């Protein structure tokens, strides 16, 4: 076990948890790292990841104009042949995480029976909301419902441009942003948190496979797992950054030119690459300021901006319609949830929606899951599995539906009852302008549009910062604290990858990268379902064992403690000061 700043997150548990639950291994996180030139990196994962990323980027640039068509063919291959796999896999994730929460494993505490919560319930829930709100939701919250309003998914069979189409649009959008993505994040977060906090293993994906691999997680099997995770995280993040910068470009042009008439900013790949460079520079300064000085402050700013924009539209927009659309949309979503979850469109109409939207979303969420999952894992010590799952699966999903109802519902109101200007502008210009065209229909449209642009920029910066932190964990052997120069390096690399892919193949290249890396990572997550089950089952067996009961009896006799048990008399919590225990 290491001390000081290099002490991994997973080794904060001590006493009883270390004595009975931690695996017997002489390995330590990062014990073979190379420390040179201000870097502290894993000798295999870091250089191999850089080499493969370089090969991928070089191939994109060398292909030139052929890159876009090549990426389009790759995306069509995965969507056409493996759409069923993505749908089935994510459904398995939902069933698995609910089984963990609602069954006997739900009483297991992350970090062990002695673990205490590091954050209050309110702070924890606020951070979950913040994690769920990102660039993608800003981009799609208006454009996606408007698309379905005109091109009704075949599953619903409604006529486009009608009230029934609006209801179907909200249900389909809720489906893509509701429970399914959070089931993916919850599974990843639970696996990382359990094996890090309850087993004292490095905070990387290889640790989740300890039940199958043992010490081999420190060898090539573990290297391959972490390499796939690096690629999934990097390209999932690059997709978000590419989507975000395209919206920033449109926002600056639309607000500054069309709405205020101040400046005419061109819209195109070259400008977006320049914007990525500029915003990445801001992200680099944030990284240099440190976690508390940079990322934390920007995350707080995000929360204030997000709630300000949401509250503004709730007040000046069609308030009654928004809440009515929210309730009706939830009803349509819940009523069709099971069928939608398995709907591939193979035997009838609607396959286009599944291929173009659902498969991309599921692959994107899977690629994005190491980033969100690791963040959730780091803030969830001290919570039971049931509390963790119920919080992660339901609270952010429901909050996302409120956001979608506010912005998407207002756009549908403008289309059905209003002047239809938001829909007309969307059809003329495209997805990136949808949010700003909507805000223009209400008072202070230029100010709210500028606020929305600023919010996308701050999401870009915090995503880059947090993403660099996650990739740092993966490429430093699971160390918690890594040199600042290393985080700056990855922040710059993420921006460069997004810019080069955008330049070489456009947004389609970024989306293809997310889908292509999401496929192998989905296989890893399916295996993770089993390894997390093995870990939880082993934990429960120890909690029921005579050795554990004897140890609790000794602690009760030695110190002033309260032992909390579940209905089946399994210890779930120890409170007080167990004198005589080892620290």
């Amino acid at each position: 076990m290491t001390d000081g700043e290099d002490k991994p997150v997973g080794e904060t548990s001590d006493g009883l948890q270390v004595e009975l639950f931690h695996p017997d291994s002489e390995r330590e996180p990062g014990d073979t790292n190379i420390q040179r030139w201000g870097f502290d990196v894993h000798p295999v994962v870091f250089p191999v990841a850089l080499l493969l990323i370089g090969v991928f980027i070089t191939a994109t640039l060398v292909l030139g104009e052929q890159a876009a068509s090549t990426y389009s063919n790759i995306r069509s291959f995965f969507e056409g042949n493996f759409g069923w796999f993505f749908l089935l896999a994510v459904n398995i994730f939902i069933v698995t995480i609910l089984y963990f929460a609602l069954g006997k494993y739900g009483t297991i505490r992350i970090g062990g029976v002695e673990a205490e919560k590091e954050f209050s319930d309110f702070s924890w829930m606020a951070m979950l909301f913040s994690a769920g709100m990102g660039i993608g939701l800003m981009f799609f919250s208006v454009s996606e419902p408007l698309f379905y309003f005109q091109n009704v998914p075949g599953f619903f069979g409604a006529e486009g441009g009608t009230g029934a189409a609006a209801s179907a649009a909200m249900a389909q959008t809720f489906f893509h942003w509701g429970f399914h993505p959070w089931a993916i994040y919850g599974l990843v977060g639970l696996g990382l948190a359990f094996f890090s906090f309850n087993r004292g293993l490095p905070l990387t994906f290889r640790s989740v496979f300890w039940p199958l691999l043992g010490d081999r997680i420190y060898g090539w099997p573990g290297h391959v797992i972490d390499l796939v995770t690096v690629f999934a995280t990097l390209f999932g993040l690059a997709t978000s950054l590419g989507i975000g910068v395209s919206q920033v470009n449109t926002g600056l042009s639309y607000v500054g030119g069309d709405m205020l008439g101040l400046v005419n900013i061109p819209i195109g790949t070259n400008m977006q690459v320049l914007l990525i460079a500029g915003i990445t520079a801001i992200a680099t300064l944030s990284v240099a300021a440190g976690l508390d000085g940079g990322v934390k402050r920007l995350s707080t700013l995000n929360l204030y901006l997000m709630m300000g924009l949401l509250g503004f539209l709730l007040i000046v927009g069609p308030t009654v319609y928004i809440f009515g659309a929210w309730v009706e949309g939830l009803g349509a979503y819940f009523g069709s949830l099971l069928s939608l979850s398995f709907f591939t469109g193979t035997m009838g109409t609607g396959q286009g929606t599944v291929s173009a939207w659902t498969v991309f979303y599921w692959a994107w969420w899977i690629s994005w899951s190491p980033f969100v999952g690791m963040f959730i894992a780091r803030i969830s010590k001290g919570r039971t599995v049931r509390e963790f799952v119920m919080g992660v699966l339901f609270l952010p999903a429901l909050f996302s539906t409120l956001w979608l109802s506010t912005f998407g519902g207002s756009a549908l109101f403008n289309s059905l009852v209003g002047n239809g200007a938001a829909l007309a502008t969307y059809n003329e210009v495209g997805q990136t302008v949808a949010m700003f065209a909507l805000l223009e229909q209400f008072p202070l449209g230029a100010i709210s549009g500028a606020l929305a642009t600023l919010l996308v920029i701050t999401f870009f910066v915090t995503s880059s910062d947090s993403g660099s932190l996650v990739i740092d964990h993966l490429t430093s052997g699971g160390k918690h604290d890594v040199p600042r120069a290393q985080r700056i390096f990855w922040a710059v690399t993420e921006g460069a990858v997004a810019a080069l892919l955008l330049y070489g193949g456009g947004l389609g290249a970024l989306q293809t990268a997310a889908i292509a890396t999401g496929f192998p990572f989905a296989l890893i997550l399916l295996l993770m379902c089993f390894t997390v089950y093995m870990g939880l089952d082993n934990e429960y067996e120890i909690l029921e064992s005579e050795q554990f009961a004897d140890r609790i009896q000794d602690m009760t006799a030695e110190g002033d403690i309260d032992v909390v048990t579940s209905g089946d008399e399994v210890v779930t919590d120890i409170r007080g000061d167990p004198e005589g225990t080892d620290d």
Side-chain angles (χ1 to χ4, degrees):
M1 185 182 299
T2 57
D3 297 317
E5 293 184 354
D6 288 335
K7 183 177 181 180
V9 172
E11 298 195 6
T12 57
S13 299
D14 52 17
L16 184 63
Q17 195 67 21
V18 174
E19 179 183 341
L20 296 181
F21 295 86
H22 282 201
D24 183 16
S25 175
E26 297 180 356
R27 296 298 303 268
E28 296 178 356
D31 56 3
T32 61
N33 279 11
I34 297 174
Q35 298 178 348
R36 192 175 302 170
W37 303 314
F39 281 56
D40 186 355
V41 297
H42 191 277
V44 176
V45 176
F46 181 82
V48 173
L50 279 185
L51 175 64
L52 295 179
I53 291 169
V55 169
F56 186 84
I57 296 299
T58 301
T60 299
L61 297 178
V62 169
L63 283 172
E65 295 181 357
Q66 298 178 4
S69 61
T70 301
Y71 287 131
S72 178
N73 292 334
I74 294 174
R75 179 174 179 177
S76 298
F77 172 77
F78 279 104
E79 290 175 344
N81 294 285
F82 295 101
W84 62 270
F85 169 77
F86 282 109
L87 265 66
L88 185 61
V90 177
N91 289 329
I92 291 173
F93 301 155
I94 285 186
V95 172
T96 300
I97 198 171
L98 286 175
Y99 171 74
F100 292 154
L102 301 179
K104 63 182 182 180
Y105 305 129
T107 59
I108 294 175
R109 188 169 300 278
I110 297 173
V113 293
E114 296 176 289
E116 298 180 358
K117 296 178 181 178
E118 295 182 340
F119 300 96
S120 67
D121 292 341
F122 178 81
S123 296
W124 184 67
M125 288 187 288
M127 285 187 282
L128 288 180
F129 292 148
S130 180
M133 298 296 293
I135 292 172
L137 206 50
M138 289 291 295
F139 186 88
F140 290 107
S141 59
V142 176
S143 63
E144 188 172 350
L146 287 179
F147 177 86
Y148 298 142
F149 178 66
Q150 300 175 99
N151 307 277
V152 184
F155 175 86
F156 295 96
E159 182 182 351
T162 63
S167 179
M170 294 310 300
Q172 186 74 41
T173 307
F174 285 0
F175 174 60
H176 288 154
W177 294 86
F179 298 131
H180 283 73
W182 284 99
I184 301 171
Y185 301 154
L187 175 66
V188 172
L190 179 61
L192 289 170
F194 177 81
F195 285 100
S196 181
F197 289 125
N198 291 61
R199 292 294 179 267
L201 295 170
L203 189 61
T204 68
F205 260 80
R206 66 176 71 205
S207 299
V208 180
F209 297 90
W210 175 271
L212 293 178
L213 300 175
D215 269 329
R216 285 181 295 167
I217 66 168
Y218 297 105
W220 269 105
H223 301 339
V224 171
I225 291 170
D226 278 353
L227 281 169
V228 173
T229 308
V230 168
F231 282 110
T233 303
L234 183 65
F235 292 122
L237 183 61
T239 301
S240 294
L241 299 185
I243 288 173
V245 79
S246 64
Q247 192 172 29
V248 170
N249 188 188
T250 301
L252 292 174
S253 176
Y254 196 80
V255 174
D258 295 359
M259 297 177 71
L260 295 177
L262 297 177
V263 60
N264 184 23
I265 297 177
I267 297 177
T269 301
N270 290 336
M271 175 56 65
Q272 290 166 15
V273 169
L274 290 175
L275 285 171
I276 288 178
I279 300 174
T280 298
I282 298 174
T284 302
L285 294 175
S286 177
V287 169
L291 192 60
D292 289 332
V295 180
K296 183 178 179 180
R297 291 181 180 178
L298 280 174
S299 297
T300 303
L301 176 62
N302 276 350
L303 188 59
Y304 286 132
L305 292 176
M306 177 184 68
M307 298 307 296
L309 190 60
L310 178 67
F312 168 79
L313 194 55
L314 279 172
I315 294 172
V316 304
T319 307
V320 175
Y321 187 92
I322 289 172
F323 285 110
W326 185 34
V327 174
E328 184 175 334
L330 285 174
Y333 171 47
F334 290 138
S336 57
L337 180 58
L338 184 61
S339 297
L340 265 179
S341 299
F342 291 91
F343 182 73
T344 63
T346 302
M347 295 182 288
T349 59
Q351 190 170 16
T353 301
V354 175
S355 298
W357 290 88
T358 307
V359 174
F360 163 67
Y361 271 131
W362 279 198
W364 188 19
W365 303 145
I366 290 171
S367 298
W368 191 242
S369 63
F371 164 62
V372 180
M374 191 170 291
F375 172 77
I376 295 173
R378 291 188 63 185
I379 66 174
S380 297
K381 182 184 177 183
R383 302 185 182 276
T384 65
V385 170
R386 182 169 298 129
E387 182 182 5
F388 174 90
V389 172
M390 293 298 104
V392 171
L393 189 59
F394 291 104
L395 293 177
L398 291 176
F399 186 76
S400 294
T401 62
L402 176 60
W403 179 277
L404 291 165
S405 297
T406 302
F407 290 88
S410 295
L412 293 173
F413 175 85
N414 180 260
S415 301
L416 287 168
V417 182
N419 58 16
L423 180 61
T425 306
Y426 163 76
N427 288 332
E428 180 181 350
V429 181
Q431 286 180 308
T432 57
V433 79
M435 170 72 76
F436 309 104
L438 170 67
L439 294 174
E440 189 180 17
Q441 307 310 311
F442 301 102
L444 304 176
I447 295 176
S448 60
L451 179 63
T453 304
L454 178 61
L455 184 56
V456 176
I457 291 174
T458 57
F459 272 131
F460 187 121
V461 174
T462 54
S463 295
S464 179
D465 284 353
S466 303
S468 65
L469 186 64
V470 170
I471 297 178
D472 271 343
H473 282 303
L474 297 169
T475 56
S476 65
K479 279 193 170 182
H480 177 36
D481 293 305
V482 294
R484 187 169 297 172
Q486 196 165 313
R487 276 193 287 145
I488 292 175
F489 170 81
W490 281 115
V492 173
T493 300
E494 290 156 6
V497 169
L500 290 171
L501 285 178
L502 197 63
Y503 182 80
L507 188 58
L510 295 169
Q511 293 174 327
T512 298
I515 292 174
T517 55
F519 178 74
F521 201 65
L523 298 174
I524 290 178
L525 295 190
L526 284 172
L527 188 57
M528 176 191 271
C529 293
F530 180 62
T531 60
V532 174
Y533 162 77
M534 293 178 67
L536 292 173
D537 191 61
N538 176 254
E539 182 102 351
Y540 198 83
E541 285 183 5
I542 296 175
L543 291 172
E544 287 186 310
S545 68
E546 292 184 7
Q547 182 186 10
F548 183 79
D550 292 341
R551 190 70 181 87
I552 293 296
Q553 187 174 4
D554 292 341
M555 291 172 63
T556 304
E558 294 170 356
D560 182 17
I561 65 170
D562 293 324
V563 178
V564 180
T565 62
S566 62
D568 51 5
E569 298 303 317
V570 172
V571 175
T572 61
D573 194 10
I574 295 178
R575 301 169 184 169
D577 182 19
E579 296 180 3
T581 58
D582 296 328
D583 292 328

